[in-house]
Amino acid sequence: MENAQLQAIDAYWRAANYLSVGQMYLLGNPLLREPLQPAHIKKMLLGHWGTTPGQNFIYAHLNRIINAYDLNMIYVAGPGHGGPAMVANTYLEGTYSEYYPAISQDEQGLQKLFKQFSFPGGIPSHVSPECPGSIHEGGELGYSLSHAFGAVFDNPDLVVACVVGDGEAETGPLATAWHSNKFLNPVNDGVVLPILHLNGYKIANPTVLARISDEELHSLMRGYGWEPYMVSGSDHEQMHHDMAAVLDTIVQRIQEIQQQAREHHNMERPMWPMIILRSPKGWTGPLMVNGLPVEGSFRAHQVPIPDPAGNAEQLNQLEEWMKSYRPWELFDENGKLQQWLQEQAPKGLRRMGANPHANGGILLKDLRMPDFRDYAFDVQQPGKDKASDTTVLGTFLRDVVKANLSSRNFRIFGPDETLSNKLNAVFEATSRQWMAKIEEHDELLATDGRVMEVLSEHQCEGWLEGYLLTGRHGLFNSYEAFIHIIDSMFNQHAKWLKVTAEISWRIRIASLNYLLASHVWRQDHNGFTHQDPGFIDHVVNKKSSIVRVYLPPDANCLLSVMDHCLRSRHYVNVTIAGKHPAPQWLTMDQAILHCTKGIGIWGWASNDDGDEPDVVMACAGDVPTLETLAAVSILREKIPALKIRVINVVDLMKLQSSSEHPHGLDDAAFDLLFTATRPVIFAFHGYPWLIHRLTYKRTNHRNIHVRGYKEEGTITTPFDMTVLNEMDRFSLVQDVIERLPQLGTSCAYLKQEMQDTLIRHRNYIKEHGQDMPEVADWVWKG
Amino acid sequence: MENAQLQAIDAYWRAANYLSVGQMYLLGNPLLREPLQPAHIKKMLLGHWGTTPGQNFIYAHLNRIINAYDLNMIYVAGPGHGGPAMVANTYLEGTYSEYYPAISQDEQGLQKLFKQFSFPGGIPSHVSPECPGSIHEGGELGYSLSHAFGAVFDNPDLVVACVVGDGEAETGPLATAWHSNKFLNPVNDGVVLPILHLNGYKIANPTVLARISDEELHSLMRGYGWEPYMVSGSDHEQMHHDMAAVLDTIVQRIQEIQQQAREHHNMERPMWPMIILRSPKGWTGPLMVNGLPVEGSFRAHQVPIPDPAGNAEQLNQLEEWMKSYRPWELFDENGKLQQWLQEQAPKGLRRMGANPHANGGILLKDLRMPDFRDYAFDVQQPGKDKASDTTVLGTFLRDVVKANLSSRNFRIFGPDETLSNKLNAVFEATSRQWMAKIEEHDELLATDGRVMEVLSEHQCEGWLEGYLLTGRHGLFNSYEAFIHIIDSMFNQHAKWLKVTAEISWRIRIASLNYLLASHVWRQDHNGFTHQDPGFIDHVVNKKSSIVRVYLPPDANCLLSVMDHCLRSRHYVNVTIAGKHPAPQWLTMDQAILHCTKGIGIWGWASNDDGDEPDVVMACAGDVPTLETLAAVSILREKIPALKIRVINVVDLMKLQSSSEHPHGLDDAAFDLLFTATRPVIFAFHGYPWLIHRLTYKRTNHRNIHVRGYKEEGTITTPFDMTVLNEMDRFSLVQDVIERLPQLGTSCAYLKQEMQDTLIRHRNYIKEHGQDMPEVADWVWKG
C-alpha cells in the first residue's frame, strides 16, 4: 500500500478522533482557534471514550476498502456506547449534515455537533436511532452479531462489518451468535465480517477474551467456525499498514468463497474470515491523568480527563490532547473537512451512514399476501368441530412463504419449535436453512430455506430484528413461557421503534410479530416450568403507540389477526394461540367482523337479547373462551331465566381507555358492553391482575371479577390446569352464583353440585390420568 | 478394568433404562411378569426418552468413580427433561425410597414409581425439585453449567458432574458459561466436570455442535479453556470400556491439578478436563417404529413408540424393548434390585441423590452480621445532607464480607458494576476473583476474592443460584434496566422456591437478593436504553409467598432493608436504591421503625396533625420521595391551610391486600393511612399502573392518582427525567390543585406559576445542560 494512502487514512482517523473528543468536552471553540477556556467546557462530561478511537480506526479503514472494491457495506457498532465515533464519521462523510442540515459542514455546525452530544435536548451517547447508518444502538450489550446476521440474510451483495466489543463478547447472546455461520448461505446471503475489538477492559474489569492466550483465542474462533486474522499493536503507522493488508486479504477471501459457492456451486460450509483487533483502550488519548495510567487501562472507559473546567492542568492536558490530532491540517478555514480528506470517504449511498440498508423502511416492500379467508376452517355450528388453530394458520403461512419465495423477504424464526407449534404446513413450501452437516435421515433441512431454527431465543430475536431493520418481514414463533428469555431484547427493540417513529428521515419498518403457541394452559408434557403468561404484562409497559396484543379464540380469528399483523408497520404484535385441537367458534365472516372490532358480544352464546344482562361472562384466550362457554351452557341449562351476555376479547388493548392506547374503547362504548352495574366474570388467559390494570378506570370496574393463571400448575390435563387456577367452568358457575344474591337459596344446590363435580374430577384424574368423560366430550349446544 | 465390573455397570445401566421406560409407559405389570396388555399402558404417554439412556450411562459410570476414589459428587442434568433417568437412579441407589417411603423397594413400589411419572398428582417429567439430588430442573434450558459452577465455589472437595445437552449448548447463557473456568480457584473451589452429551438432535432438528467436525469441536472446547476427552460410539461394551478409562484419566488429572495448586501453590489457570460423549439419541431404544428410524434420530426425542395401547404390534415392540434389558436378571422376586447391583451404588451421603449439597438448606449457616446501625448516616435534619445510598451500604457489605471471610459462604455477584453501583467499600475487604491473566496496572483482582464479576447477567444469576442452592448466601447487584436479561431465570428460580417450600424434606435456602442500583431515574450517562423499572412488575406475578420488593428512600432505610434481606430465607428480595448523592431523610431509629412497618406516615413532613388530611402525598422510591417532599414544601409555603399527609412506602407489597400477600395491609389499616375519600397523589419509582394493580381493591382506589415512569427519557439530568414523565415537584403541585376544586380560583395563580417554572426549566437545561439553581440547590426546610 502506498504511504500516501495510509497517511490519508491516518489523517481521516485523526479527524474522527478530534471530533469525538470535541463531542465529549466542548461547548464552544470547536477548532481551538483561541486558547481553551473553562467556559468552553461542558458542565457535565459524559461519553465513552475507551472504545471510540478503535472504532474510528476501523471505520476509516473500511472506507478505504469500500472505495477500493466498491463494497456495499454497513457498520454495526457492538460497543454502541462509543456513539461519538459513528457520529463523527457520518459527519465527516457528509451524511450527518444531509439528515440534519443545522449540523452544517462549517465551524458553526461543528459547534452544534459538539454541544448536542449527551446534552439535554440533544442526542444520546450511544449509536442511537438518531445516528445515520445505525441499526444497532448497543445501549444494552450482546446483540450486535445477531443483528448483523439478520441484516445479511437474503442480501447477497451486502457486507456487514460488525464490531464486537470484548466486554459484549462475554454476554451469552453474543457467545452463541458466533455460531450463526452455520445458518448463512454463501449464495443467497451476504457476509458478516466480525471485528472482535480487544481493547482489554470493561467498565472496571479486564475482559475475559483479552486475558486468555492468543492460542486459546484463535482456537476459540476456529472452533466457532471462523478463520481469524489478527491485527495487534499500538504504533499508528504499523497498525495502519497491518489493518490495510489484512482487509485486502479478507476481501479477496470473501470473494473467493462467494465465487466457489456462486459460480462453482460448492456449498460446503466455508470458514469465513474475521478480525481480532487488539488496540489500547482509549488509544491516542492521554497516557496519564492525575498520576494514574489512562490509555490502555479501564480508566479510559468513559471520560479520561475528569475536570478540565475546574483544573488548569487538566484543561491544558485536554488542549494538548486535542491538538495532538493537528486539527489545522484537517479542517479548512471555514471548519470544513479538507477536500483531500473528503475524498477518502465513499460516495453517495456507498457511505455507511447513507446506505439504505441501515434505514430499512426505504427498502421495505409489502408482502404478497394470499387471501386468508381461503384458509378458513368451516364452522357449521359453534363449538361442534375441533381444529388446531396453529395447524390451520400453518397452511396460510405456507402460502405466505410461497408467494414471497422469489422476493426473498419473509422468514420464520423459532427455537426448534416450528413443528412443535404445529406450523407443519410451512414445510410443504420450504425447509430450515442449515449449513452444518446434513445426514441421511435428516428431514426438512436445506442450505436454502425460509425457516431459521436454533435453540436460542436470543438468536432468533436478534436475527429477526436485523432482518426487519433492513427492510424485510418475519415471524417469531416460540413457546409462551420462554419468550421471557428475550424480555430485554424486546425492550430495546420497542424503544428503538418508539424513537425512530419520531425521526422524520427514518422510514417505518415491518412489525415484529410474535406467535406464542404452546401456552400456559397446555403444558401436559412439561408442567410448571413451562407456565408463564407474563410476557403480555411486560409488553404493555412499553409505549402504547408501539405494542399490540391479540388473543384469538379460534383458528379463523387467528387467521384474521395474523393477516393484519403481517401487513402492519412499526409495531410489536404479540399473538397467543393454541396448538392442540380445540373447539372452533366463528365462521370466517364472523371472525373478520369480531377481529376488526377486537372485542364484542357473542350473541349466539348470550341470552340477554339486547337487554341489560344479569351477568356478563367475558373471556380472552382460547382456553378461557372454552371454559366460559362451558360455564354459560351449564348456567343456561340450570337457570334458564338468568340473562347472560358473553363478551370475547381478541384485541386486549380494547380494554384500556382510549386516552391510554389508540385501540382503547372510550368509556361509553366500554359501558355499553360491560354495563355500569352488573357483575362481570372475566376468564383471562394470563395473570388476572393485568385485566385490573387495564380496566381500573372503567365505570364498572368494581364488579369485574377476573380468573386467570395464578402460578398453580404441574404436568396435567389442560382442563385440570384450569381447575388448579379456579378458572374452570365449574368454578366460573360458582363465581356467578356468588355475585348474584338475587338467585337466592334456590341456587345453593347448583353451587354444591359444582363443588361435588370438582371433587369427582380430581378423583377421576388422579386415578385415570385423563379427564372424566363429561369434560372430555363436552360440546357447546347453544 | 475388570470385565466383571464393566458387566455390573452394564447391568446397572440396564436397570436404570428399564425403570426409565417403565415410568413413561406402565400403569401396572411393572416387572413384566405377565404378558403386556393395553390395560397396563398409561392413557397419556409423556416424557423425553432421547436423552435418558445417555444420562443413565453417565450416572452408572459416575457411581463407579465415586466408589473408587471416594468422591464427593453431585449430578446436574442439563437436559433435565430426561427426568426418568435421575428418578430411576435415585430409586436404584435407595434415596428415592428414603425420601418417599411409599415408593418402596419392591414390586408395589415400582408400580407406584412408574404410575406417578408425568401423571396428574404425581411428579413432573423433568428433574424437578421433587427429585432427590436435583438442584437444577432443566425445564428451561441453558443454565446447567452456571449452576454447577455456583455449586462448587467455596466447596473445595465437591465435584459437580454437569451433563450439558447439545441442544442446551446452543443457548446464549450456556455458550458463555464455558468461560466460568476463568473464575474458578483450584485451591478454594471445587471442580466442575462438564460432560457435553452429543446425542445429535433437539426436538426436531440436529444440533449445531453435533454437526461440526470433531476438529472444530475440540478447538472450540480448547478455546474455551478446557481439555476435551472424547467418548464416542454405540457399542455397549466398547463404550463402557472407553467411558471408564476416560473417567479414570480425568480423576487423576483433576487430582494433579489440585495438587499442583494446593500443595505446590501453582496458581496458573489450568486446562480443566471435560468429556464429549457422543452416543445415539434414544440409545438402546427401538431402532425403527412404523417403518421410520427412531434410535439415533430426532424421533427418539420424546415417546418413541407412540401407541402401544392401541396397536398390537407396538405393544409387542414395547414389551420386547423392555425385555431387552432382561429385568429378571436385575430384580429379585420381590422386585428389589439384586444385592450385587445394589453394591454398585455409592453408600450413604456419597449417593448423588443423598448428597447434602443437593439439598443446600441442610448445610446453610446464618451469616455473621455486623450491626447495621453502626453504619448509619447521621441525619441531623431531614433532607439537609446528601449521601449516596449505595456508598453507605457498601461499608456495611464490606463488613459482612469481612465477618464471613473465614466461613467462605457469602459472595457478591455483578456484571462489572459493583464499582459503578458505588459499593466501592467492599473492595477494602476483598477483591474480584479472577483466574485469567492479571497485568501490571490491574486493580482489585485476585485469584481469591468474594466479588464475582463477568459481563453476563446470566452468568451472575446462574452462579448465584447454584451458590444459594448449595447452602450459601449472596447478593446480585445490577443495573435496574438490564436485570430483565434474567427475567426468565428469575421465573425458574421463583418456581423452584415455591415448589421446594411445599416439599417437607427440602430445607429452606437463603433468599436470592437483588440490589438494583443505577435505576431508571438516574441515567445521565446512558439515556433511554437504560430506563426500565419493569422488573418489579415481572416479579410480583410470581407466588406472593416468595417475592418481596423494597424501595428504601434513603441510606439508613437501605441498611435496614438489606440487613433484613440477608437474614431472610427462601424469598426473592428485590431492593432498588440510588447510587448518586441524594438527600437523607430518616435517622437510623426512624428508619428501623419505618422499614419494620414497611409503610408509614412521615409526620415531620405532614401537617394534618392526625386529622383527616385534604390530600395524601404518597411516594415510593428515592427520586419520587424527593419530588414529593419538594412538592409538599411548595404547597405548605404557598397554601399553608392545606392539610397534607405524607406517606412513604418501603415495602411495596404493603399496598396489596392482606389476602393476596402476606405483607399486605388489611383494608382497615390501608384506609387509616390513605383515607376513604381524600385524593392521593402517588409518586412511584416504576410504571404507574403497578400501583393500580396492587391497590384496585382498596376503598379509596378511585382517588389514587399515580405518577411514574411512562417510557419518556433520554440523556438528561435526574430532575429533567421527572419532568419528562410528569413526576416532578411542579407537576405534582398541579396534580394536587386539580384534584382539590375547593382550593378554587385562588390557586389558579399557583398552577400557572408551576407551568411557567417548568417552561423556565426546559429553557435553562437546554442552554446549560444542567438544572437551574433553585432545583439543584433545593433543600427541605420542613
Side-chain angles (χ1 to χ4, degrees), chain A residues 43 46 48 81 115 118-120 125-126 137 139-140 170-172 176 182 201-206 211-212 216 219-220 223-225 269 271 293 298-299 302 416 432 434 436-437 439 441-443 445 453-456 458 482 484-485 487-488 491-492 495 498-499 524-526 528-532 537-538 541-543 660 687 689 692-693 696 698-699 701-702 709-712 715-716 766-770, chain B residues 43 46 48 81 115 118-120 125-126 137 139-140 170-172 176 182 201-206 211-212 216 219-220 223-225 269 271 293 298-299 302 416 432 434 436-437 439 441-443 445 453-456 458 482 484-485 487-488 491-492 495 498-499 524-526 528-532 537-538 541-543 660 687 689 692-693 696 698-699 701-702 709-712 715-716 766-770:
Chain A
K43 298 287 195 302
L46 302 170
H48 291 78
H81 287 65
K115 180 180 170 183
S118 279
F119 201 83
S125 70
H126 306 157
E137 178 155 9
E140 179 173 327
E170 292 176 16
T171 66
T176 199
K182 280 86 188 177
Y201 295 89
K202 297 166 287 199
I203 306 181
N205 274 289
R211 296 299 179 87
I212 62 177
E216 274 181 303
S219 184
L220 183 65
Y224 275 130
R269 174 170 59 87
M271 300 283 277
F298 62 87
R299 288 187 202 86
Q302 294 182 354
D416 193 30
R432 308 184 188 98
W434 178 262
K437 261 185 254 164
E439 294 183 354
H441 293 296
D442 288 339
E443 289 184 352
L445 298 178
E453 294 202 321
V454 62
L455 210 164
S456 164
H458 292 112
F482 299 148
H484 274 301
I485 291 172
D487 274 1
S488 209
N491 277 352
Q492 296 302 326
K495 282 174 180 278
K498 185 221 172 204
V499 176
D524 4 1
H525 256 73
N526 291 306
F528 193 45
T529 57
H530 286 52
Q531 294 163 359
D532 185 301
D537 300 63
H538 181 67
N541 274 340
K542 287 288 162 291
K543 226 39 193 180
E660 306 223 338
Y687 292 105
W689 314 283
H692 292 295
R693 169 224 191 287
Y696 69 86
R698 302 299 192 175
T699 316
H701 175 254
R702 274 196 187 266
Y709 182 69
K710 45 183 193 179
E711 285 291 313
E712 293 296 339
I715 286 197
T716 190
K766 276 184 192 164
E767 181 170 348
H768 299 274
Q770 53 182 193
Chain B
K43 297 286 195 307
L46 302 170
H48 291 77
H81 287 66
K115 180 182 171 185
S118 279
F119 201 84
S125 69
H126 307 157
E137 177 154 11
E140 181 173 326
E170 291 176 17
T171 67
T176 201
K182 281 86 191 179
Y201 295 88
K202 297 167 287 199
I203 305 181
N205 275 288
R211 296 298 179 88
I212 62 177
E216 273 181 303
S219 184
L220 183 64
Y224 275 129
R269 172 170 59 87
M271 300 283 276
F298 62 88
R299 288 188 202 86
Q302 294 183 352
D416 193 30
R432 307 183 190 99
W434 178 262
K437 261 184 253 164
E439 294 183 354
H441 293 297
D442 288 337
E443 289 184 352
L445 298 179
E453 295 202 322
V454 61
L455 209 164
S456 166
H458 292 112
F482 299 147
H484 274 301
I485 290 171
D487 274 1
S488 209
N491 277 351
Q492 296 303 324
K495 282 173 180 277
K498 185 221 172 205
V499 175
D524 7 359
H525 257 73
N526 289 307
F528 192 45
T529 57
H530 287 50
Q531 293 163 0
D532 185 301
D537 300 64
H538 181 68
N541 274 340
K542 288 289 162 290
K543 225 41 193 179
E660 307 224 337
Y687 293 105
W689 315 283
H692 292 294
R693 169 223 191 288
Y696 69 86
R698 301 298 193 176
T699 317
H701 175 254
R702 274 196 186 267
Y709 181 69
K710 46 184 193 178
E711 286 289 313
E712 294 295 338
I715 287 197
T716 191
K766 276 184 192 164
E767 183 172 346
H768 298 275
Q770 52 181 193

Side-chain angles (χ1 to χ4, degrees), chain A residues 405-427:
Chain A
L405 273 180
S406 62
S407 36
R408 304 191 68 87
N409 61 347
F410 177 67
R411 294 204 189 214
I412 295 173
F413 300 78
D416 193 30
E417 291 161 5
T418 306
L419 282 179
S420 174
N421 288 331
K422 305 290 183 204
L423 302 175
N424 304 40
V426 164
F427 292 108

Side-chain angles (χ1 to χ4, degrees), chain B residues 199-461:
Chain B
N199 72 29
Y201 295 88
K202 297 167 287 199
I203 305 181
N205 275 288
T207 60
V208 169
L209 294 189
R211 296 298 179 88
I212 62 177
S213 67
D214 281 355
E215 192 190 333
E216 273 181 303
L217 183 56
H218 283 248
S219 184
L220 183 64
M221 286 299 134
R222 277 195 292 268
Y224 275 129
W226 297 91
E227 186 186 357
Y229 291 82
M230 189 110 181
V231 177
S232 173
S234 62
D235 179 82
H236 302 186
E237 195 178 324
Q238 185 66 45
M239 287 290 279
H240 284 307
H241 187 273
D242 292 353
M243 187 71 174
V246 158
L247 281 171
D248 282 331
T249 307
I250 282 177
V251 172
Q252 284 156 26
R253 184 76 197 106
I254 288 171
Q255 288 173 342
E256 278 165 23
I257 291 172
Q258 290 185 333
Q259 207 171 17
Q260 271 295 316
R262 295 178 185 185
E263 293 169 26
H264 305 292
H265 311 293
N266 176 0
M267 291 303 285
E268 208 177 320
R269 172 170 59 87
M271 300 283 276
W272 292 98
M274 60 84 62
I275 297 175
I276 300 171
L277 171 65
R278 192 191 288 273
S279 67
K281 183 151 186 156
W283 198 12
T284 75
L287 286 175
M288 305 280 288
V289 177
N290 292 331
L292 292 169
V294 173
E295 192 201 66
S297 96
F298 62 88
R299 288 188 202 86
H301 185 72
Q302 294 183 352
V303 177
I305 298 178
D307 186 21
N311 177 314
E313 192 187 324
Q314 291 189 20
L315 187 71
N316 189 37
Q317 195 175 16
L318 173 61
E319 188 166 12
E320 277 179 26
W321 173 18
M322 295 195 71
K323 287 188 169 170
S324 75
Y325 300 121
R326 307 194 295 281
W328 52 86
E329 293 180 10
L330 311 172
F331 300 94
D332 67 18
E333 68 269 28
N334 297 318
K336 187 168 185 178
L337 190 67
Q338 298 279 3
Q339 185 61 35
W340 65 285
L341 283 173
Q342 288 179 42
E343 283 160 17
Q344 294 301 307
K347 298 291 161 284
L349 299 183
R350 285 298 195 231
R351 292 172 299 172
M352 291 194 281
N355 192 308
H357 292 288
N359 185 8
I362 292 179
L363 302 173
L364 184 64
K365 296 201 177 79
D366 287 348
L367 283 175
R368 284 176 219 159
M369 296 287 283
D371 188 336
F372 68 94
R373 289 169 292 201
D374 296 345
Y375 306 85
F377 182 83
D378 184 16
V379 174
Q380 298 285 343
Q381 191 183 312
K384 182 166 165 280
D385 297 315
K386 288 187 178 184
S388 148
D389 297 351
T390 54
T391 301
V392 174
L393 178 68
T395 62
F396 172 62
L397 290 176
R398 172 197 63 210
D399 291 349
V400 175
V401 167
K402 265 191 203 158
N404 298 282
L405 272 180
S406 62
S407 36
R408 304 191 69 86
N409 61 349
F410 177 67
R411 293 204 188 213
I412 295 173
F413 300 79
D416 193 30
E417 290 160 7
T418 305
L419 282 177
S420 174
N421 288 331
K422 305 289 183 207
L423 302 176
N424 305 39
V426 164
F427 292 106
E428 296 165 18
T430 189
S431 296
R432 307 183 190 99
Q433 182 154 313
W434 178 262
M435 287 294 299
K437 261 184 253 164
I438 297 182
E439 294 183 354
E440 193 191 343
H441 293 297
D442 288 337
E443 289 184 352
L444 313 179
L445 298 179
T447 54
D448 182 22
R450 300 281 96 199
V451 179
M452 308 297 292
E453 295 202 322
V454 61
L455 209 164
S456 166
E457 285 79 0
H458 292 112
Q459 278 298 92
C460 295
E461 172 82 12

